[in-house]
Amino acid sequence: MRTATLVSLVAVLVLAVLGVSLSMPWLKTPVLMAISHGLAVTGIIVLIRAGQVSFGHAMYACVSGYAVAFLGRAFHLDTLWLVVLGTMVSIAAAALIGVFMVRYRGIFFGMLNLAFSMVLFSVLGKFGGLTGGTDGLRFDRPAFAGFVMEREDFETALLGLGLVLAVGGGVLVMRYFGGVNGQCLAALKTNETRLEYLGISAKRVFWGGYVLSATLCGLGGTLFALTQGLVTPDMGYWVRSGELVFIAILGGSGHALGAFIGAFVFEFVKLYAASLLTGAWQLALGIVLIVMVFVAPKGLYGLLVRRCKPPEPKARAVRKNVVKEVVA
Amino acid sequence: MNRVLFSGLLAASMFLHGGASAQEKPAELKIGITTFTSGAASVFGVPAKAAAEMLIEDINKAGGIGGVKVTPIFIDEGIGGDKLLSEYRRVVQEQGVRTMLASISSGNCNTLAPVAEDLKVLNIMWDCGTEKILENKRYKYVVRTQANATTEMVATVLYLLKVRPDFKTIAVVNQDYAWGRDSAEIVLNTLKVLRPDVKVVAEMFPKVGASDFSTEISRLQALRPDVVLNTSWGGDLDTFVRQAGQRGLFKPTTTFVMPLIESSLERLGDAVPAGIIAGARGDHYWAHPETVNDAAHKDFVTRFRARTKSYPIYPAYHMAQALVGLKAGYEGALKANGGKWPAPEQVAQAMRSNKFKAYGRELSMREDGQSLEAQLLGVTKRDPKYPFAVIDKMVLVPAELVTPPVGQMSLEWIKGLRPDMARLLGTEQFKTHDFK
Amino acid sequence: MDASLIVLALMDGASYAALLFVVALGLTLIFGVMRILNIAHGSLYAWGGYFAATLGLAITRFGLPSWLALPALFLAAIVIGSLLASVLEFTLLRRILDKDPILQLLVTFAAFMVLEDLQRLIWGVQPVFVSEVVNQFGTLEVAGVTYTRYQLLVLPAVAIAALIGLRWFLGRTAIGRQVTAVTHSREVAIAMGVNAQRVTWLTIALGGVLGALGGALASPTTSFTPGIGADMLVLSFAVVATAGLGQIGGAAIAALMIGMARSFSVYLLPEIEVLVPYLIMVAVLLVRPEGLFSSVAARRI
């Protein structure tokens, strides 16, 4: 998609989200959830670019969420500090785990991430004295940039922050993809050995990508925790990680915008399916995903790109036909 | 952000939804009810929903509340805490509902109580037992129409001490989540004060939804405790009872205490032996000694059975209490308001000063929103007329004896209990009722 | 911890491991032949259990002879396992063979979600439990503790029979050898004239039956409720990952390891019981990412 089209599309979407959320206040919560999931999914698509999928990345959202809860309860920090510190905890965790993780590829990578996340999930659920157990930890609404706010205003402020983070995160990821590190990351999928031949450490590149993906998941986790005022071990359950991958494919794993489109569609289908088809929303979503995989494997973003493609200039088309004839 | 414009938009949207006005009678009284219609806890949620639908039909047939028809809106707690939060807010802000009944799960109550307070809607905690919510903070809009975990568990301990006053060892096998942990904590702390010589030989917390208790059962067999406490419910309790039965764990030398087994008795049928100390989480049972012959109660049980093909269990009764309390609150508030339709906080205030009665004894609510509900405890017995166990030797423990006073935290209050309370239920004033 | 408690822990661990092994076996078989980790395997377990319970209830309702109870379990597993697995294979698995591995995983995840809801629509939310079979076998005492013969004898017997039977099938029968060939290298097997599609379908049906058998065997002792599939799935995952994907004998050992570790922890340190399978998985994967028993494969460039 051309840059101009992309920028205008993003601008329109941001304004639409703002407008809708402000006119219907109850929508702010699901919108914030969608944005936080979108951020986490942006992390997932970084990994997908390397040809890897992690079934445990929800643990980074979980870790940052719990960090926010602990810090909020203990020190009553400001929201912005909580977001920064929570994400830093995720980064630290990923940097450490990543050192081991980057040796693995494919199904083993996915499984090891799953194992770590299940250990975290079980620990959080068991050691209730520290972590609040399966009911989780509540924390009071923190101040935002120094202002103490009521729920309505706080959510509006979070929404603003969320949109800034979403656009920022998306831009960051796309620039990463276009840069040297991102291209090297993509090479992990296509031909890792050749990358090594070039003298570039595949492990280091992957580590960088892994930490970036965890950062985005961590950011999403802090936003989620702040919106809910509650963190539970479910934030790190393997089904959550599976849902993140689901959204990545639904929205389109090639572009950050796809992550957010997927997250919004997922969130709202889930919300309305839950109220209209109680007991069958999983069925509906499952069928949607299967259809998507067969019909539109590049996701909703892929469909969007196809529609927005600029028409081919005639000269190029003519030359293509000539080549076809020669080859045939 | 332009606060004036913003608040203007907000006010306009609320006005458009037409729920905030406290003057004219609305066309219908919409009540949001959260209950589990999916997941393991739906064994509670589905009977409660049936009871709600039945009772609301009755209320509407009799003219509604204050002449206004009642319309329930059900929300499934099984969609998970975060989705539930969104749904709750959507129902309040998009559909303009000002009265909510939430929830079954203590975790959900924890999340939703402050939200209700923020949104200024009446929130009746109709089933969750956690005592911490109303003890930790004073709420204007949040009330509870049944007892809490402290009341239930302390009454259970007193009954245990009546049935088996001289036991020496106890083991705990509870579900590993807030209820399982908190209920164990209350029981063990109460025992520490009333019977400090009792030894706790094991505390096991298998995870919720565990499908296999064979190791726990083996350990219990090896330890041979005098008393085993199990506050599980639903599938977990069913599995435990069946596996324990298969392995011959139910011996006369071991007394099992299962405060939530009333909800599983019919389903478990033959698997429940006699002699288990059973609780019903409050002052209700389809064969409640004081109301079993009440026309209203008999009618309720008959119609519930016709509708759901099973006897009502405690969630259904809790729902009844909540609806009766709500109705009493609205009627009281209407009177106090001179006939004008009351705002949610007026209803909450009225609920605190009006007594209400469902199918047990009369209930009253304190100024902190906590209701005082007597506790029914008994021992299981096999009766040839029924294909499942019934509760016999029932004792009703008044709430005032086993509930901490307003403003005092449960654990503090328990520490201050008088040791001679251990023999309380053996005294004259507590009649033991046989099953009829 | 004295000797009698050790014996008890071993007994408990063995019966738990037997169930885990049967389910994990199905998962690892399907992976071997399709190179896809079938997340819907959890549903096979759940459906196997529910269907077995339904059959058991039917036996009592229609007054059929009670000795049918045990064979009914196997019948349930065979019917529902092969049926469901075949439907999955035909509608989904066959068509995603050439897709991106991530998409393959997601399709099975979606199938799992669909089957979870279908299961709830069919069997409802009340716990389902039919325990006739266990009562028929009676109990026996070990070290002063009463065990049911069902858990101590029947379950391990079925697990061992499955292990030996499968080994024999794969090594000694013509079709079994074809399965091994397709598992090892699909293309070469096709080149040699093996009908890979039919062999794949057969293996998947077999894997499905094993998954459903796990559920059917668990149904007399466990209450089946919604969500039971997800928990069993992630546990059998842990077994398969620890053993090595596609390893059959290894899966038995891994299941024993995890089963024993779990039961010992209930006696020694009950708080870590839930953690133990995942800790083992992490520990093994960190040291040997392909699992404990997998063969080293040459890396393709």
Side-chain angles (χ1 to χ4, degrees), chain C residues 21-30 32 157-177 179-180 183 202-211 213 246-252:
Chain C
F21 170 64
V22 170
V23 180
L25 199 56
L27 190 63
T28 210
L29 259 181
I30 297 182
V158 172
I160 294 175
L163 178 61
I164 296 179
L166 206 63
R167 270 256 148 91
W168 174 84
F169 173 73
L170 288 176
R172 299 296 170 111
T173 63
I175 298 192
R177 298 248 186 95
V179 171
T180 317
T183 309
L202 202 77
T203 318
I204 289 178
L206 186 60
V209 167
L210 284 166
L213 185 63
Q247 298 299 318
I248 295 174

Side-chain angles (χ1 to χ4, degrees), chain A residues 18 22-30 33 37 125-128 132-135 138 141 150-153 155-156 224 227-230 234 240 266-267 270-272 274-275 278-279 281, chain B residues 1 3 6 9-10 13 17 37-38 74-76 78-79 81-83 85-87 89-90 93-94 105-108 110-111 114-115 118-120 139 176-179 181 205-208:
Chain A
L18 266 176
L22 292 178
S23 59
M24 287 191 266
W26 66 269
L27 270 180
K28 272 187 263 176
T29 313
M33 305 280 185
H37 285 142
K126 262 296 172 179
F127 296 101
T134 50
D135 278 337
R138 277 208 58 241
R141 188 163 52 239
E150 283 301 312
R151 178 167 284 267
E152 289 293 340
D153 294 338
E155 289 193 340
T156 313
F224 187 89
T227 309
Q228 222 180 217
L230 171 76
D234 278 336
R240 275 290 162 98
F266 182 81
E267 200 62 33
K270 210 173 179 190
L271 194 65
Y272 280 101
S275 55
T278 15
W281 62 267
Chain B
M1 194 71 0
R3 291 200 58 152
F6 178 57
L9 269 175
L10 200 65
S13 65
H17 292 306
T37 50
S38 65
F74 291 99
I75 307 175
D76 179 17
I79 57 179
D82 45 332
K83 295 281 160 308
L85 180 62
S86 303
E87 259 304 278
R89 304 194 56 200
R90 186 183 71 82
Q93 291 176 298
E94 192 196 34
S105 155
S106 291
N108 291 336
N110 243 323
T111 316
V115 175
D118 265 349
L119 293 172
K120 303 204 186 342
Y139 284 91
D176 188 14
Y177 79 116
W179 165 253
R181 296 269 179 186
F205 294 96
K207 70 167 201 247
V208 180

